[in-house]
Amino acid sequence: MQYETCRHIKEDGAYCGSPALRDRKYCYYHLIERGRRLRRARALRDNVPYRLEIQSLDNLYAVRAALTDVAQALAAGQLDPLTAGRLLYAVQQVSSTNRRIEQMEAAQLEARKNAPDQSHAIDNSCIQECPEFEKQFGLPPGADLDAETDAVLRKADEEAELRQGEALPTPPPGMRPGSPAWRLFREEGYQIMRSQINEMRHQLREFNQQKRQQYEAVMKKEMMSANPVPERRADSA
């Protein structure tokens, strides 16, 4: 069976060779890598802070992607060396932990294979269900986790742009830092920011209350549908 292969060229001059995604030139890994590269380029073009998104470091490929992201962001001047050093140390610790977990899981698998009369046994030691997940994280039943997370991140970006637009104004030319006029100017700016923070807190309380009411209404509706109220019969004569 013939299929398209990834057209990414590695540093040794060889093609990646992994199966390419449908109607794409690249495999999943190299396609996402190019998407992150485009995101960094846009941040540089627009002169805005670049938000480094490190995925779950649960395998060697994720660790490699995190190392690549940190190195490229550091080289582009979008990450300060102190933060980069801490991130690289965290990635190193996770990588070491992953290796120990892999060794432990391999040993457990070998022990199960060698155990007598256990070749077809069903492992019931792991959790099979998580019915309280939505309730634990404040989600409506049947919510799309990816969609919810993307919506929250978009809202966070909007709030960040709003806060950036509402930053303290630049002092007038000729105003000496530390002078009485400068201190008065800064105090007025801080009062404006305090007022904005109080307004945002009020809006946040209203938003949380609205979401809680919606969640309670959904849960009440589900409980009523699961336990219908029996109809009352008319008294017989």
Side-chain angles (χ1 to χ4, degrees):
M1 180 178 179
Q2 295 183 349
Y3 54 84
E4 294 291 334
T5 57
C6 178
R7 306 307 295 170
H8 174 80
I9 301 176
K10 297 185 290 186
E11 291 302 318
D12 59 358
Y15 284 105
C16 168
S18 299
L21 298 179
R22 183 178 301 173
D23 299 328
R24 302 282 185 181
K25 295 181 180 180
Y26 307 104
C27 64
Y28 177 81
Y29 174 80
H30 287 118
L31 181 67
I32 298 301
E33 181 190 24
R34 279 165 170 77
R36 291 195 294 263
R37 183 168 177 263
L38 175 61
R39 187 182 297 161
R40 285 192 297 270
R42 287 173 175 171
L44 283 173
R45 178 197 63 189
D46 300 335
N47 194 25
V48 297
Y50 171 64
R51 183 173 62 197
L52 187 63
E53 295 183 2
I54 297 180
Q55 304 299 322
S56 177
L57 303 176
D58 52 1
N59 58 74
L60 293 177
Y61 294 100
V63 171
R64 182 176 66 177
L67 291 174
T68 301
D69 286 343
V70 172
Q72 292 182 351
L74 179 62
Q78 296 172 310
L79 194 63
D80 64 274
L82 180 60
T83 303
R86 291 174 177 174
L87 287 174
L88 292 175
Y89 176 75
V91 172
Q92 180 184 10
Q93 294 299 309
V94 173
S95 180
S96 300
T97 303
N98 285 344
R99 285 195 294 268
R100 290 195 294 269
I101 292 175
E102 290 173 357
Q103 295 172 358
M104 180 183 66
E105 291 178 345
Q108 292 176 350
L109 180 60
E110 188 66 23
R112 285 197 296 268
K113 288 181 179 180
N114 297 331
D117 300 331
Q118 297 293 328
S119 57
H120 301 289
I122 299 176
D123 186 8
N124 293 323
S125 61
C126 296
I127 296 176
Q128 303 295 326
E129 297 180 354
C130 188
E132 299 294 326
F133 176 80
E134 285 79 8
K135 182 178 180 181
Q136 180 180 356
F137 289 93
L139 294 170
D144 187 336
L145 285 177
D146 293 333
E148 289 282 343
T149 303
D150 291 340
V152 173
L153 289 176
R154 286 196 299 270
K155 185 65 176 178
D157 290 338
E158 294 174 0
E159 294 294 337
E161 292 179 0
L162 180 62
R163 288 192 297 270
Q164 185 177 4
E166 295 176 351
L168 287 175
T170 305
M175 183 175 291
R176 182 175 57 84
S179 64
W182 184 85
R183 290 196 295 268
L184 178 61
F185 173 82
R186 299 292 289 182
E187 183 61 29
E188 291 177 350
Y190 286 136
Q191 289 180 0
I192 295 175
M193 292 185 66
R194 294 190 194 101
S195 176
Q196 294 173 351
I197 292 173
N198 291 332
E199 179 64 23
M200 292 175 64
R201 287 175 176 172
H202 178 70
Q203 294 176 359
L204 182 60
R205 283 195 297 268
E206 290 184 346
F207 174 78
N208 290 334
Q209 183 177 4
Q210 182 181 5
K211 296 293 290 185
R212 184 168 56 252
Q213 291 175 353
Q214 293 176 354
Y215 175 73
E216 291 175 352
V218 171
M219 294 299 296
K220 183 177 180 181
K221 184 177 180 181
E222 287 194 350
M223 292 178 62
M224 292 180 64
S225 60
N227 301 311
V229 179
E231 297 181 357
R232 297 183 59 183
R233 298 182 178 180
D235 295 336
S236 58

